[in-house]
Amino acid sequence: MKVSIDISLYPIKNEYRQPILDFIQELKNSEFTVIENSLSTQIFGDYDNLMPFLNSKIKDVFFDDNLYVFVLKIVKGDRSEK
């Protein structure tokens, strides 16, 4: 089953820009389709492949000592071409 996931990352610290850019780059280095905009990043792919990948990338961010907030919206279907 294909899904589209809208992700926003909010680092709760003064230097917030670099963690966001690093996370987006990790997504872009994957096999999945990734689209960026000014407020969020969308990633598209097969649910069973995408969710474990995304889970590991979020967990990597959480290993940092700082506080981070993720907001995810998941939609059934590949909306990358809509």
Side-chain angles (χ1 to χ4, degrees):
M1 165 187 7
K2 299 289 185 183
V3 293
S4 304
I5 304 176
D6 182 85
I7 306 167
S8 297
L9 169 57
Y10 302 99
I12 310 301
K13 62 184 203 172
N14 289 333
E15 289 101 32
Y16 61 88
R17 187 175 180 86
Q18 195 58 50
I20 294 170
L21 295 174
D22 292 345
F23 182 75
I24 292 170
Q25 190 58 49
E26 288 290 323
L27 299 181
K28 291 167 78 174
N29 289 340
S30 73
E31 64 186 86
F32 304 105
T33 301
V34 176
I35 299 174
E36 301 173 62
N37 66 46
S38 60
L39 297 177
S40 64
T41 301
Q42 291 83 40
I43 189 166
F44 309 89
D46 181 74
Y47 182 89
D48 289 332
N49 296 324
L50 182 52
M51 293 307 288
F53 166 79
L54 196 54
N55 184 50
S56 72
K57 295 306 169 188
I58 291 171
K59 189 174 183 178
D60 289 346
V61 170
F62 284 158
F63 275 119
D64 188 318
D65 288 333
N66 294 294
L67 180 61
Y68 295 93
V69 175
F70 279 93
V71 176
L72 285 78
K73 295 178 260 179
I74 305 173
V75 177
K76 181 180 174 184
D78 184 343
R79 308 287 298 165
S80 64
E81 298 180 15
K82 307 286 185 234

